Amino acid sequence: MSGRKPKPRDGLVSQRQLRAGELIRHALVEVLREHEIHDPALEGVSVTVAEVRLSPDLKHATCFVEPLGAGVETAPTAGHVDEIIKALNAHAKFIRGALGRHIDMRFTPDLRFRHDESFEAAARLNRLLDDPRVRADSWAPPVEDEEE
């Protein structure tokens, strides 16, 4: 019998990847909060780290982030999401170095930042559910008891 562990099937993520992803997500929040990154695109910008997905070997991390207020048209970050993501990716090595001091892992993974579009998808779904035509389809009259 070989000492190899079975590989997760396509699309499945191991518990190890999930645990390490959460560890990195929490540490990344601390790093982004504590360390000031000198970039005009990141001046005064708060970033929400929604999820961190790791490769099976835990050496590459995709960090899904959402700038605070990016979905609000009157927010200062509105329309600047691409610039913010580019700035985070440009400073990924600096962030990785700071992250390495916060986590206890054999390797600190390479970081790649991507915009998290799940917030936009949730807002779109809420708008669809608030549509009067959809509400009319889902509304049911109250049921009365027939005990008289």
Side-chain angles (χ1 to χ4, degrees), residues 10-139:
D10 291 334
L12 295 180
V13 180
S14 70
Q15 284 294 317
R16 183 174 171 229
Q17 286 171 281
L18 293 173
R19 277 194 314 266
E22 276 301 298
L23 173 73
I24 290 170
R25 187 179 71 82
H26 286 281
L28 194 57
V29 167
E30 290 298 316
V31 166
L32 292 174
R33 187 176 57 83
E34 292 174 1
H35 293 77
E36 187 173 324
I37 301 170
H38 300 289
D39 192 297
L42 298 174
E43 288 292 319
V45 174
S46 292
V47 177
T48 300
V49 182
E51 181 183 3
V52 174
R53 291 185 193 161
L54 285 160
S55 63
D57 63 359
L58 305 183
K59 292 191 178 186
H60 304 281
T62 302
C63 308
F64 292 91
V65 297
E66 174 75 12
L68 192 63
V72 181
E73 293 177 14
T74 58
T77 57
H80 301 288
V81 174
D82 291 337
E83 295 170 23
I84 293 168
I85 300 299
K86 283 180 185 176
L88 285 170
N89 281 314
H91 297 285
K93 287 187 180 182
F94 169 77
I95 297 169
R96 179 182 181 223
L99 182 67
R101 293 184 283 280
H102 279 78
I103 60 173
D104 185 27
M105 290 177 64
R106 182 174 288 163
F107 299 103
T108 303
D110 291 326
L111 303 175
R112 180 177 56 211
F113 293 93
R114 293 186 60 195
H115 181 236
D116 184 18
E117 296 176 359
S118 64
F119 294 103
E120 292 172 11
R124 182 177 171 272
L125 186 61
N126 281 337
R127 283 192 307 273
L128 286 172
L129 292 174
D130 285 341
D131 187 334
R133 295 173 292 179
V134 173
R135 282 191 173 184
D137 287 343
S138 64
W139 183 80

